Amino acid sequence: MSDILKAVTGRHTTRRTVSWWLSPDLGSVGEARRLTREKLTDWGFDDQVEVAELLVSELAGNALGHAYGRVRLSFSAEDGLLRGEIEDENPELPRMRVVDADAERGRGLFLVDMLSCCWGGVRTDRGKAIWFELPAFAHAETGSPVDTLAPIAA
């Protein structure tokens, strides 16, 4: 955050980051949800826990079920934005597909698209990382994404 923005908002930026390696089986999806809930609650992002858990379930399930190699779950939070990321060793980026109305699978990325403010994927040196972002302010912070940026009256 720039010094000007700090002066206007009275807020100081705090960047938080955490990551975990998941064991390479589908049972790790539940562990990923648990880690998500515990860390976001610890950070004070109670309002985003359920959505983040759902998004992590989808992305971790895809990575553990379709990719290969090690899978890492990461979160970062800074200036009202929470970013979740799943990294695996398969360089193939996922894509949304058109599915039949009675299909039991294939809608996960549509959920990610609907529930996050943005999402994407990027190839890495070791494979790929799929990420999503959610607006989030910890309970200890004041204001909302809109009024936080309002100038302070003289």
Side-chain angles (χ1 to χ4, degrees), residues 29-77:
V29 174
E31 177 73 359
R33 283 194 306 266
R34 184 189 65 75
L35 292 166
T36 298
R37 176 172 291 282
E38 287 177 0
K39 184 49 66 178
L40 298 189
T41 300
D42 181 51
W43 284 353
F45 296 130
D46 300 321
D47 294 341
Q48 293 296 6
V49 168
E50 289 183 16
V51 171
E53 275 187 305
L54 179 60
L55 298 178
V56 163
S57 290
E58 178 55 37
L59 296 181
N62 284 347
L64 293 163
H66 302 292
Y68 50 83
R70 296 176 61 171
V71 174
R72 183 171 63 177
L73 166 63
S74 302
F75 280 100
S76 63

Side-chain angles (χ1 to χ4, degrees), residues 17 19 35 52 66 70-72 86 88 90 99 102 113 124:
T17 61
S19 67
L35 292 166
H66 302 292
R70 296 176 61 171
V71 174
R72 183 171 63 177
I86 298 287
D88 64 55
N90 181 349
V99 295
D102 59 348
D113 190 56
T124 65

Side-chain angles (χ1 to χ4, degrees), residues 6-147:
K6 283 182 199 174
V8 170
T9 65
R11 289 181 45 216
H12 297 282
T13 185
T14 302
R15 180 166 171 83
R16 300 171 181 161
T17 61
V18 66
S19 67
W20 305 271
W21 290 104
L22 303 175
S23 55
D25 59 78
L26 282 174
S28 292
V29 174
E31 177 73 359
R33 283 194 306 266
R34 184 189 65 75
L35 292 166
T36 298
R37 176 172 291 282
E38 287 177 0
K39 184 49 66 178
L40 298 189
T41 300
D42 181 51
W43 284 353
F45 296 130
D46 300 321
D47 294 341
Q48 293 296 6
V49 168
E50 289 183 16
V51 171
E53 275 187 305
L54 179 60
L55 298 178
V56 163
S57 290
E58 178 55 37
L59 296 181
N62 284 347
L64 293 163
H66 302 292
Y68 50 83
R70 296 176 61 171
V71 174
R72 183 171 63 177
L73 166 63
S74 302
F75 280 100
S76 63
E78 184 175 22
D79 294 334
L81 193 62
L82 175 66
R83 182 181 178 113
E85 188 172 288
I86 298 287
E87 183 179 353
D88 64 55
E89 295 180 8
N90 181 349
E92 184 178 339
L93 294 172
R95 57 188 167 87
M96 286 197 282
R97 296 182 172 104
V98 177
V99 295
D100 294 331
D102 59 348
E104 293 182 17
R105 304 177 72 172
R107 294 185 184 82
L109 290 179
F110 286 106
L111 281 174
V112 174
D113 190 56
M114 286 188 327
L115 297 175
S116 64
C117 61
C118 55
W119 71 277
V122 61
R123 286 190 175 91
T124 65
D125 291 341
R126 295 182 352 179
K128 70 174 172 298
I130 307 301
W131 55 268
F132 63 86
E133 293 180 340
L134 302 169
F137 286 95
H139 286 297
E141 297 180 48
T142 59
S144 68
V146 175
D147 67 19

